Amino acid sequence: MNSKLQIVNSLSRKKEIFEPSVPGHVGMYVCGPTVYSDVHLGNVRTFISFDVVYRYLVHLGFKVRYVRNITDVGHLVGDIDEGEDKIAKKARLENLEPMEIVQKYANGFHDVMNIFNAIPPSIEPTATGHLIEQIEMVQRIIDNGYGYEVGGNVYFDVLKFDKDHPYGKLSGRILEDLQSGSRDLDGQSDKRNSLDFALWKKAEKGHLMRWNSPWGLGFPGWHLECSVMSTKYLGTSFDIHGGGMDLKFPHHDCEIAQSVAADGADPVRYWMHTNMLTVNGQKMSKSANNSFLPHELISGDHPLLTQGYSPMTIRFFMLQSHYASELDFSNEALQASEKGFQRLMNALEAVESLDVSKAKGTDAEENKQLNDLIDAVYDELNDDFNTAKAIARLFDLSKKINSYKEGVIDIAGVSAESLERLQKEFHAVIVHVLGLKKESGGDTKVAAGLMELILEMRKDARGRKDYDTSDKIRDVLQELNIVIKDGKEGTSWSMN
Ligand code: AMP
Ligand code: ZN
């Protein structure tokens, strides 16, 4: 393979050869979930996309420090500066401590990532664990003249910043356009300009999540945590920053502004943005009421689903599109993915059964063809992590594998070295880079490994006295005619 890894940088809007600032090492930050409710499959798509980015970088031999945060304070309803904190609101509705909400949904998020075979990040920092650093960053921004305090709130002065540095360059927003599109301050806000965003918010009476600061009791603005935690663990200028494209503006443009204002450094060398998972063309989101939860997908218990699908089918379905393309959720596409995934797994079994002692290297042309096909898989992955095209190349290889297996092409033609390369790389790309694994299951519909995970999730739920979830799991399983029994030795299951 001759190609080098190239990444479409959302900042330059160009495909660039990837060269980390420290050779051999990569620093990567991905915006994690706000843990106030169950993650839906749209969130899962974004996290699976970056799981593959991480896996591929590791596969190429880079030492990767992968940081993905947990947002547990400061993200307000409507993603704006006014309104209730999403987590505090949920805590109020469920009559729980905000930290109980955070724990419950962070656990749920980890369970889901586990089900979809995503590797945990190297560091998973939380916003509430970095209050001191956030306060310090706000102070640096004020000291450098880009932030101002009014009555316990601290705002970022966008107009002042834009005079020295372009604001909105990631999303391509121009300040004049933003200004004409923004509403006038109606006397409700103490901002100098409606474009200014909150760095620190004063806690109103009764606000549950609040900390002491030089500006009084309050809590940090949403954009601040990512600037603080990315640069704390990866340095003031680091290699890759990822997130869904809905975060480009304002979240990521504000991150750039904050870092430049506080530390004088453009924080990110390669920005990467995933496209949205849609349902009938509309972005999947909690607020649009069109989101699927993982357990609904597994059981098929959702008005938009005609059957259940296994986690690896879903993962495969997601990787069959490039991360930067929109992906629409449909039963037909999933059914096709179910078959495709099975074909690929069959080829993986077949390749492992090929007999290397029969490979003699008698046909130079056949030998070259095979090696070219293997190279092609890597060329696609090097082309901005194009998993869609890489999977197409894996299917080309699957055809070859089946021809060798069935004797349609004489395996003696290829050299032992090439055949071993095929076995090694075919396995590595499918299992280590794409993160796909075999699922048992057959006619029971539910894979044995999956059952183990579901029972683990139920145990976790019961452990934290979340009986709603544990009962739901039992009920859904019952609908699938799966009976679970709690005994001294743990929980067992059987088909009715
Ligand atoms: P949130 O918890 O809302 O901050 O979202 C966590 C991550 O999921 C962010 O990177 C979002 O951009 C991403 N995300 C949210 N909805 C979707 C969707 N429908 N498709 C793909 N990614 C999404
Ligand atoms: Zn973020």
Side-chain angles (χ1 to χ4, degrees):
M1 142 198 59
N2 301 313
S3 58
K4 285 187 171 162
L5 176 60
Q6 298 190 76
I7 297 181
V8 173
N9 189 342
S10 326
L11 187 59
S12 65
R13 296 167 184 79
K14 289 198 180 89
K15 205 178 273 179
E16 299 172 8
I17 291 187
F18 177 66
E19 269 157 6
S21 51
V22 179
H25 293 252
V26 178
M28 168 161 124
Y29 185 89
V30 174
C31 288
T34 305
V35 282
Y36 71 105
S37 64
D38 294 314
V39 281
H40 59 68
L41 279 169
N43 307 128
V44 169
R45 181 191 188 198
T46 286
F47 297 126
I48 285 181
S49 299
F50 287 108
D51 181 53
V52 172
V53 170
Y54 171 61
R55 284 168 173 274
Y56 191 51
L57 291 168
V58 170
H59 181 70
L60 291 179
F62 290 109
K63 196 166 185 309
V64 188
R65 182 177 295 164
Y66 170 24
V67 183
R68 188 185 64 209
N69 70 307
I70 293 271
T71 296
D72 58 356
V73 71
H75 196 170
L76 305 188
V77 175
D79 297 351
I80 49 172
D81 278 351
E82 315 301 327
E84 207 173 349
D85 184 295
K86 291 187 183 193
I87 287 161
K89 180 179 176 188
K90 190 68 175 240
R92 182 172 58 73
L93 293 175
E94 295 197 4
N95 207 11
L96 292 170
E97 268 293 316
M99 278 301 132
E100 283 181 284
I101 295 294
V102 165
Q103 194 67 57
K104 174 174 165 181
Y105 293 110
N107 287 347
F109 171 60
H110 292 144
D111 288 340
V112 168
M113 288 293 96
N114 202 358
I115 285 178
F116 288 103
N117 202 25
I119 298 176
S122 336
I123 305 177
E124 194 171 48
T126 60
T128 56
H130 294 74
L131 258 301
I132 291 172
E133 293 90 333
Q134 292 186 77
I135 290 169
E136 285 170 357
M137 189 172 215
V138 174
Q139 192 60 58
R140 291 204 297 285
I141 294 173
I142 295 175
D143 292 347
N144 291 340
Y146 296 113
Y148 60 94
E149 189 245 339
V150 208
N153 291 310
V154 182
Y155 296 109
F156 190 94
D157 192 335
V158 170
L159 297 192
K160 174 106 189 289
F161 179 80
D162 191 68
K163 285 202 178 81
D164 307 325
H165 317 269
Y167 173 76
K169 63 179 178 179
L170 180 64
S171 59
R173 301 243 192 332
I174 311 278
L175 195 75
E176 287 77 52
D177 298 346
L178 283 170
Q179 270 178 310
S180 63
S182 71
R183 58 195 163 81
D184 283 340
L185 292 176
D186 48 10
Q188 300 289 313
S189 173
D190 45 10
K191 292 177 184 178
R192 285 181 192 162
N193 189 285
S194 59
L195 293 181
D196 294 351
F197 58 90
L199 296 170
W200 187 263
K201 290 278 294 176
K202 177 185 174 173
E204 299 302 338
K205 211 165 160 255
H207 195 280
L208 291 168
M209 306 175 86
R210 53 192 183 168
W211 290 264
N212 244 319
S213 79
W215 318 286
L217 276 178
F219 59 95
W222 170 40
H223 313 304
L224 193 62
E225 57 168 296
C226 289
S227 288
V228 162
M229 298 190 289
S230 59
T231 55
K232 174 174 168 122
Y233 296 110
L234 302 172
T236 47
S237 169
F238 59 93
D239 297 309
I240 298 176
H241 190 317
M245 59 187 272
D246 55 334
L247 296 185
K248 263 191 197 173
F249 191 87
H251 188 53
H252 291 159
D253 263 319
C254 291
E255 272 188 52
I256 296 177
Q258 290 170 152
S259 282
V260 172
D263 302 316
D266 219 324
V268 179
R269 301 178 62 244
Y270 301 85
W271 280 97
M272 289 181 68
H273 288 96
T274 53
N275 211 325
M276 296 293 107
L277 179 67
T278 57
V279 183
N280 298 323
Q282 195 190 10
K283 176 188 165 187
M284 183 181 282
S285 72
K286 279 155 219 155
S287 49
N289 247 335
N290 64 354
S291 57
F292 299 107
L293 300 180
H295 74 83
E296 294 170 331
L297 201 78
I298 290 160
S299 64
D301 183 16
H302 190 285
L304 288 170
L305 290 169
T306 53
Q307 64 170 91
Y309 300 94
S310 76
M312 285 302 110
T313 298
I314 308 294
R315 187 173 167 111
F316 181 74
F317 162 72
M318 290 183 174
L319 298 181
Q320 272 186 304
S321 75
H322 183 223
Y323 74 82
S325 316
E326 210 174 85
L327 172 62
D328 201 51
F329 195 94
S330 77
N331 284 287
E332 296 71 35
L334 272 158
Q335 280 155 7
S337 294
E338 196 168 52
K339 292 199 184 91
F341 173 64
Q342 208 42 60
R343 264 200 296 144
L344 201 60
M345 287 298 120
N346 292 344
L348 184 59
E349 242 174 65
V351 81
E352 280 159 8
S353 71
L354 294 179
D355 186 352
V356 180
S357 71
K358 291 192 177 139
K360 307 281 186 211
T362 55
D363 183 343
E365 179 51 32
E366 178 59 30
N367 202 53
K368 181 176 180 308
Q369 245 187 43
L370 175 61
N371 281 292
D372 287 352
L373 280 177
I374 300 171
D375 288 347
V377 176
Y378 280 98
D379 290 339
E380 302 296 5
L381 289 170
N382 281 341
D383 185 9
D384 196 27
F385 308 93
N386 198 326
T387 53
K389 288 191 176 167
I391 287 173
R393 301 289 85 78
L394 286 172
F395 278 126
D396 294 343
L397 273 176
S398 302
K399 275 192 210 132
K400 268 273 178 246
I401 291 164
N402 289 330
S403 304
Y404 295 151
K405 188 182 161 202
E406 288 155 15
V408 179
I409 299 176
D410 189 356
I411 202 167
V414 297
S415 70
E417 192 193 345
S418 301
L419 191 58
E420 273 169 351
R421 179 176 182 231
L422 169 68
Q423 289 177 322
K424 180 166 161 268
E425 302 299 353
F426 197 72
H427 175 93
V429 171
I430 293 173
V431 176
H432 301 304
V433 177
L434 300 180
L436 298 168
K437 56 182 185 185
K438 284 178 198 153
E439 286 171 320
S440 54
D443 55 7
T444 61
K445 204 170 185 184
V446 180
L450 185 59
M451 274 306 298
E452 214 173 281
L453 275 171
I454 290 171
L455 292 179
E456 236 174 71
M457 285 169 70
R458 179 170 168 268
K459 199 170 133 205
D460 285 350
R462 284 159 66 108
R464 55 175 192 265
K465 300 202 172 15
D466 176 6
Y467 296 115
D468 282 350
T469 303
S470 64
D471 289 348
K472 195 166 197 171
I473 291 175
R474 189 201 50 213
D475 293 346
V476 170
L477 290 177
Q478 228 160 33
E479 277 169 34
L480 288 167
N481 292 329
I482 297 169
V483 186
I484 50 181
K485 282 197 197 87
D486 295 312
K488 271 191 200 137
E489 251 80 76
T491 304
S492 61
W493 65 277
S494 55
M495 298 290 293
N496 223 349

